[in-house]
Amino acid sequence: AALWASIGVWVYRTTGRIAWVGLASRQFIREGHASPDLKRLLEKACRPRADEINEVARSLGSLADTVAQRDAERDAYEATLRESEAKVLEITSVLADGVYVLNREGLVTFANLETERLLGWTAAELLGRNGHDTFHYKRPDGTPISSESCPVHQTIHTGQSYRSPDDWLVRKDGGILPVSIVSSPILRDGVVTGSVAAFHDITP
């Protein structure tokens, strides 16, 4: 009877520990991070003497800690990125030059206030649009210009900077704006990921 009682207690405790690990596992899957409740469940599942349940509980705890560290690093990176973006917006908002950024596909990802004023587009209207097809698709005489023959657009493909004291951009109303312009590639780890262009109104 004593033996069966001991076995019964062992089974009861072991089943409870397995249940706590299962609850912790489901909670981790559902929430995706290490909460205080998850830690308490894993502590309940562990015993001073090492066994398989301890190993599983500690492995899950280690995984949760790793995810928590990764999340903290990601949050810190995103906070730094937001701060950097705020500084860029602050600086470019007071520039006398228009500034716009294109991604690898040639789509506008940023336009400052001077770009809005000079071209007549709002930044919200420009974002996600193809820069060449929107404001550099024709010459001053009205003849079309392809993106392949446009040195401003080709900066994102050649990785070569382009500088011209006598160029043009097309305003929202279709009018031509004479500009001096500099377009430079954006490099990340040696790979061109886009370009940034700065232009100045040279209307006589």
Side-chain angles (χ1 to χ4, degrees):
L3 175 61
W4 284 111
S6 297
I7 292 175
V9 170
W10 179 84
V11 170
Y12 173 78
R13 290 178 177 174
T14 301
T15 302
R17 293 172 65 199
I18 293 173
W20 287 326
V21 172
L23 285 173
S25 177
R26 288 192 291 274
Q27 182 175 318
F28 179 66
I29 292 172
R30 182 175 63 252
E31 299 179 359
H33 64 274
S35 67
D37 286 342
L38 183 143
K39 291 290 188 180
R40 282 193 290 270
L41 288 170
L42 293 178
E43 288 172 0
K44 287 182 178 181
C46 288
R47 289 292 180 269
R49 189 172 62 183
D51 61 11
E52 290 81 359
I53 298 175
N54 274 20
E55 291 300 318
V56 172
R58 288 170 180 165
S59 294
L60 180 56
S62 177
L63 174 62
D65 289 340
T66 300
V67 171
Q69 180 180 356
R70 182 204 63 189
D71 290 345
E73 292 172 350
R74 181 198 62 203
D75 292 344
Y77 171 77
E78 291 178 349
T80 301
L81 183 61
R82 286 193 297 270
E83 182 179 353
S84 297
E85 289 176 344
K87 288 180 179 178
V88 170
L89 288 173
E90 182 180 352
I91 293 170
T92 58
S93 66
V94 297
L95 289 178
D97 290 344
V99 177
Y100 65 86
V101 177
L102 304 178
N103 65 13
R104 180 66 181 173
E105 287 69 45
L107 306 182
V108 178
T109 60
F110 172 81
N112 72 343
L113 292 176
E114 190 66 3
T115 296
E116 293 182 316
R117 187 185 73 80
L118 291 174
L119 297 185
W121 301 87
T122 66
E125 290 173 322
L126 288 174
L127 295 182
R129 298 174 68 104
N130 183 284
H132 175 80
D133 294 345
T134 302
F135 46 74
H136 203 239
Y137 58 90
K138 66 178 180 180
R139 295 181 174 84
D141 63 5
T143 58
I145 177 173
S146 67
S147 60
E148 289 78 13
S149 60
C150 171
V152 179
H153 181 81
Q154 285 303 308
T155 296
I156 60 179
H157 298 297
T158 65
Q160 300 296 314
S161 295
Y162 169 74
R163 182 185 299 269
S164 174
D166 183 21
D167 212 302
W168 71 91
L169 293 174
V170 184
R171 292 177 46 83
K172 182 178 181 180
D173 60 13
I176 298 297
L177 176 73
V179 298
S180 62
I181 190 168
V182 176
S183 179
S184 302
I186 298 173
L187 297 172
R188 290 181 181 171
D189 299 324
V191 177
V192 179
T193 60
S195 67
V196 57
F199 61 95
H200 188 77
D201 182 4
I202 57 171
T203 302

